[in-house]
Coordinates of all heavy atoms in Angstrom, one line a residue:
I1 N 1.3 -7.3 4.4 CA 2.4 -8.2 4.1 C 3.6 -7.9 5.1 O 4.2 -8.8 5.6 CB 2.9 -8.1 2.7 CG1 4.0 -9.1 2.4 CG2 3.3 -6.6 2.3 CD1 4.3 -9.2 0.9
L2 N 3.9 -6.6 5.4 CA 5.0 -6.3 6.3 C 4.7 -6.7 7.7 O 5.5 -7.4 8.4 CB 5.3 -4.8 6.2 CG 5.9 -4.3 4.9 CD1 6.2 -2.9 4.9 CD2 7.1 -5.1 4.5
E3 N 3.5 -6.4 8.2 CA 3.1 -6.7 9.6 C 3.1 -8.2 9.8 O 3.5 -8.7 10.8 CB 1.8 -6.0 10.0 CG 1.8 -4.5 9.9 CD 1.3 -4.0 8.5 OE1 1.5 -4.8 7.5 OE2 0.8 -2.9 8.4
F4 N 2.5 -8.9 8.8 CA 2.3 -10.3 8.9 C 3.7 -11.0 8.9 O 4.0 -11.9 9.7 CB 1.5 -10.8 7.7 CG 1.0 -12.2 7.8 CD1 0.4 -12.7 9.0 CD2 1.0 -13.0 6.7 CE1 -0.1 -14.0 9.1 CE2 0.5 -14.3 6.8 CZ -0.1 -14.8 7.9
T5 N 4.6 -10.6 8.0 CA 5.9 -11.2 7.9 C 6.7 -10.9 9.2 O 7.4 -11.8 9.7 CB 6.7 -10.5 6.7 OG1 6.0 -10.8 5.5 CG2 8.1 -11.1 6.6
K6 N 6.6 -9.7 9.8 CA 7.3 -9.5 11.0 C 6.8 -10.4 12.1 O 7.6 -10.9 13.0 CB 7.1 -8.0 11.4 CG 7.9 -7.0 10.6 CD 7.5 -5.6 11.0 CE 8.2 -4.6 10.1 NZ 7.9 -3.2 10.4
A7 N 5.5 -10.6 12.2 CA 5.0 -11.5 13.2 C 5.5 -13.0 13.1 O 5.9 -13.6 14.0 CB 3.5 -11.6 13.1
L8 N 5.7 -13.4 11.8 CA 6.2 -14.7 11.6 C 7.7 -14.8 11.9 O 8.2 -15.8 12.4 CB 6.0 -15.2 10.1 CG 4.5 -15.3 9.7 CD1 4.4 -15.7 8.2 CD2 3.7 -16.2 10.6
Q9 N 8.4 -13.7 11.5 CA 9.9 -13.6 11.9 C 10.1 -13.8 13.3 O 11.1 -14.4 13.8 CB 10.4 -12.3 11.4 CG 10.7 -12.2 9.9 CD 11.2 -10.8 9.5 OE1 10.6 -9.8 9.9 NE2 12.2 -10.7 8.7
A10 N 9.2 -13.2 14.1 CA 9.4 -13.2 15.6 C 9.3 -14.6 16.2 O 9.7 -14.9 17.3 CB 8.3 -12.3 16.2
H11 N 8.7 -15.5 15.4 CA 8.6 -16.9 15.8 C 9.6 -17.8 15.2 O 9.5 -19.0 15.2 CB 7.2 -17.4 15.5 CG 6.1 -16.8 16.4 ND1 5.7 -17.4 17.6 CD2 5.5 -15.6 16.4 CE1 4.8 -16.7 18.2 NE2 4.6 -15.6 17.4
G12 N 10.6 -17.2 14.5 CA 11.7 -18.0 14.0 C 11.6 -18.5 12.6 O 12.4 -19.3 12.2
I13 N 10.6 -18.1 11.9 CA 10.4 -18.6 10.5 C 11.5 -17.9 9.6 O 11.6 -16.7 9.7 CB 9.0 -18.3 10.0 CG1 8.0 -19.2 10.8 CG2 8.9 -18.6 8.5 CD1 6.6 -19.0 10.4
K14 N 12.2 -18.7 8.8 CA 13.3 -18.2 8.1 C 13.1 -18.2 6.6 O 14.0 -17.7 5.8 CB 14.5 -19.1 8.4 CG 15.0 -19.0 9.8 CD 15.6 -17.6 10.1 CE 16.2 -17.5 11.5 NZ 16.7 -16.1 11.8
T15 N 12.0 -18.8 6.1 CA 11.7 -18.8 4.7 C 10.3 -18.3 4.4 O 9.4 -18.7 5.1 CB 11.8 -20.2 4.1 OG1 13.1 -20.8 4.3 CG2 11.6 -20.2 2.6
F16 N 10.2 -17.4 3.5 CA 8.9 -16.8 3.1 C 8.6 -17.0 1.7 O 9.5 -17.2 0.9 CB 8.9 -15.3 3.5 CG 9.1 -15.1 5.0 CD1 10.3 -14.9 5.6 CD2 8.0 -15.0 5.8 CE1 10.5 -14.7 6.9 CE2 8.1 -14.9 7.2 CZ 9.4 -14.7 7.7
A17 N 7.4 -16.9 1.3 CA 6.9 -17.1 0.0 C 5.9 -16.1 -0.5 O 4.9 -15.8 0.3 CB 6.4 -18.5 -0.2
V18 N 6.0 -15.6 -1.7 CA 5.0 -14.8 -2.3 C 4.8 -15.3 -3.7 O 5.6 -16.1 -4.2 CB 5.4 -13.3 -2.3 CG1 5.6 -12.7 -0.9 CG2 6.8 -13.1 -3.1
T19 N 3.8 -14.8 -4.4 CA 3.5 -15.2 -5.8 C 3.9 -14.1 -6.8 O 4.4 -14.4 -7.9 CB 2.1 -15.5 -6.0 OG1 1.2 -14.4 -5.6 CG2 1.7 -16.8 -5.2
E20 N 3.8 -12.8 -6.4 CA 4.0 -11.7 -7.4 C 5.4 -11.1 -7.2 O 5.8 -10.8 -6.1 CB 2.9 -10.7 -7.2 CG 1.5 -11.3 -7.5 CD 1.4 -11.9 -8.9 OE1 1.9 -11.4 -9.9 OE2 0.8 -13.0 -9.0
V21 N 6.0 -10.8 -8.3 CA 7.3 -10.2 -8.2 C 7.2 -8.7 -7.7 O 8.2 -8.2 -7.2 CB 8.1 -10.2 -9.6 CG1 8.4 -11.6 -10.0 CG2 7.2 -9.4 -10.6
T22 N 6.0 -8.1 -7.8 CA 5.9 -6.8 -7.2 C 6.0 -6.8 -5.7 O 6.2 -5.7 -5.1 CB 4.5 -6.2 -7.7 OG1 3.5 -7.2 -7.4 CG2 4.5 -5.9 -9.2
D23 N 5.8 -7.9 -5.1 CA 6.0 -8.0 -3.6 C 7.4 -8.0 -3.2 O 7.7 -7.8 -2.0 CB 5.3 -9.3 -3.1 CG 3.8 -9.2 -3.1 OD1 3.3 -8.0 -3.0 OD2 3.1 -10.2 -3.1
I24 N 8.3 -8.3 -4.1 CA 9.7 -8.5 -3.8 C 10.3 -7.3 -3.1 O 10.9 -7.4 -2.0 CB 10.6 -9.0 -5.0 CG1 10.1 -10.4 -5.4 CG2 12.0 -9.0 -4.6 CD1 10.7 -10.9 -6.7
P25 N 10.3 -6.1 -3.8 CA 10.9 -4.9 -3.1 C 10.2 -4.5 -1.8 O 10.9 -3.9 -1.0 CB 10.7 -3.8 -4.2 CG 9.6 -4.3 -5.1 CD 9.7 -5.8 -5.1
V26 N 9.0 -4.8 -1.7 CA 8.3 -4.5 -0.4 C 8.8 -5.3 0.7 O 9.2 -4.8 1.8 CB 6.7 -4.7 -0.6 CG1 6.0 -4.3 0.7 CG2 6.2 -3.8 -1.7
I27 N 8.7 -6.6 0.6 CA 9.1 -7.5 1.7 C 10.6 -7.5 1.9 O 11.1 -7.8 3.0 CB 8.6 -8.9 1.4 CG1 8.7 -9.8 2.7 CG2 9.3 -9.6 0.2 CD1 8.1 -11.2 2.5
K28 N 11.4 -7.2 0.8 CA 12.9 -7.2 1.0 C 13.3 -6.1 2.0 O 14.4 -6.2 2.6 CB 13.5 -6.9 -0.4 CG 13.8 -8.2 -1.2 CD 14.9 -9.0 -0.6 CE 15.4 -10.1 -1.5 NZ 16.5 -10.8 -0.9

């Protein structure tokens, strides 16, 4: 999740989506 999100951030993506609340503190 962290590596994937960083790759998308590098291409200018500004909105992300997850399904589980347990992912919130990780990606935050």
Side-chain angles (χ1 to χ4, degrees):
I1 187 169
L2 294 181
E3 299 92 336
F4 193 46
T5 300
K6 288 176 182 177
L8 299 180
Q9 284 177 312
H11 288 264
I13 292 177
K14 293 295 186 182
T15 303
F16 295 91
V18 296
T19 54
E20 299 305 316
V21 296
T22 51
D23 285 333
I24 294 173
V26 178
I27 193 173
K28 273 288 187 175

